[in-house]
Structure formats: structure tokens, C-alpha cells
Amino acid sequence: MVHNGAKGTDGNGATARVTLFDYRNAFDLIDHSILVNKLCRLNLPNYIINWIIDFLSDRFQRVKLSEGCFSEWGPVPSGVPQGTKLGPWLSFNLINDLEINNLNAQIWKYANDTTTSEIVTKDSQSISQSIVNRVVQWSLENRVQLKSEKCKELHNSFIKNAPEFDPIYINGKELEIAQNV
């Protein structure tokens, strides 16, 4: 990602407009039916998919409040178990089909973090709001919740007077432009 931004802005007056997305309880809120449908599209053998369904189904948890004091056991209807080898892989397979499909934009996905970047050349229009709208739409379709107050925007440029851009909005909230993250 850093290489892409540096290469795209090196000596040409361009600005890298980066948007960082944060998902609310990403591992905990994964909808099992959506995840299983995506796994089926991978052409995995049925016994593997059935094993994963069994792994995700009929799980219970409780909370330790203090020494010898526990809550009641409760069902876990969504999410993937954290601290397992399978959990991050399942989470990745949920977000794997999130695409931007624009030659001037890039996307990076890692576990529950998603970052997009657009190289805005000198005197051209930014399409970052369209990129963000695509991520928001995908998030709605896949029932994952963006934590808009933790989503940020960065501008990376090597020019003295960086251009001003229209603000980016997620769910009616303007993104904060961060100096670093």
C-alpha cells in the first residue's frame, strides 16, 4: 500500500487519497448463512463445508465475572471463534469478494481492516466518495457494520500546496481527515 501511494505520487503533483474502514465487532457479527454461501462458491468438497457448518453451529459461551463467578451459558448465533486457526480464514472469505473495479483505485483487506486508495492526479476529480459508497453497499449486503466514527481519511502528497477535496461521508457522517494512523 505504501509503495502504491509513493509510486503514484512521485514527482507528478498527484495526491493519494486513502480511506481506512473499521468494522464493528467484525469477527463476532459474521452472518453464518452469508459465509456458508460464499464458501459454497469456492467449490470446496461438501464434507469440508459441513464440517465448517458444524464448527460454527450450536456454540455456547459464558463470561467469567470474578473467581468462581460465571454468567449463564448462552448461544452464539453469529460470528467466528477468535483464537482459532480457522477464524481468520473464515473472516477473509467473507470479505474476499469486496472489490472496487476501478483502475485508479486500490483495495487492501486484512482480517477486519479494509483500506482503499485513489491516486488523484493534478487537476482531476476525486472518485473517493463513489469508492466509499461501494464499500458501504457491500457492507450492507453482507450484514457487516461499519463503525463510521472510527473510519478515517488520509491525504498523502509530496507537493507544497495539496489540493482540497470534497469531504467523504459514511452514513451521513463526514470522515475525519487524520494526519497519521
Side-chain angles (χ1 to χ4, degrees):
M1 183 181 82
V2 172
H3 174 74
N4 182 72
K7 181 179 172 188
T9 59
D10 188 19
N12 61 7
T15 300
R17 195 168 186 194
V18 179
T19 309
L20 301 110
F21 298 91
D22 187 77
Y23 289 100
R24 184 180 315 278
N25 301 333
F27 283 94
D28 299 331
L29 299 177
I30 291 175
D31 184 297
H32 292 164
S33 62
I34 292 173
L35 177 60
V36 169
N37 283 334
K38 290 182 182 206
L39 292 174
C40 289
R41 285 186 241 144
L42 295 176
N43 294 321
L44 295 172
N46 284 339
Y47 70 90
I48 297 289
I49 293 173
N50 289 334
W51 180 81
I52 292 171
I53 291 169
D54 188 54
F55 175 73
L56 296 172
S57 300
D58 299 321
R59 292 184 301 119
F60 290 84
Q61 69 182 13
R62 66 180 181 171
V63 177
K64 180 179 179 180
L65 302 171
S66 64
E67 189 62 40
C69 182
F70 297 91
S71 69
E72 296 294 321
W73 286 97
V76 181
S78 63
V80 295
Q82 294 182 48
T84 65
K85 301 232 185 251
L86 194 55
W89 183 81
L90 291 172
S91 180
F92 172 77
N93 277 290
L94 180 75
I95 67 168
N96 193 37
D97 64 351
L98 171 56
E99 297 294 334
I100 294 177
N101 300 326
N102 186 295
L103 296 176
N104 295 327
Q106 297 286 321
I107 188 166
W108 293 271
K109 301 170 275 192
Y110 180 75
N112 63 334
D113 294 320
T114 298
T115 302
T116 62
S117 176
E118 169 199 13
I119 303 299
V120 184
T121 57
K122 190 175 181 180
D123 299 323
S124 68
Q125 296 284 54
S126 171
I127 60 165
S128 285
Q129 184 64 59
S130 296
I131 295 167
V132 168
N133 292 346
R134 173 67 192 116
V135 173
V136 168
Q137 182 62 36
W138 179 93
S139 300
L140 290 170
E141 292 167 1
N142 288 275
R143 296 188 194 147
V144 292
Q145 299 173 13
L146 284 168
K147 197 174 195 179
S148 57
E149 64 273 9
K150 291 193 96 182
C151 296
K152 307 276 187 231
E153 178 182 5
L154 288 171
H155 296 169
N156 296 323
S157 181
F158 295 109
I159 57 177
K160 192 172 195 174
N161 297 315
E164 293 287 323
F165 296 110
D166 290 336
I168 296 175
Y169 293 90
I170 294 179
N171 301 325
K173 183 182 181 321
E174 185 177 329
L175 291 189
E176 172 190 342
I177 299 174
Q179 300 304 310
N180 56 55
V181 289

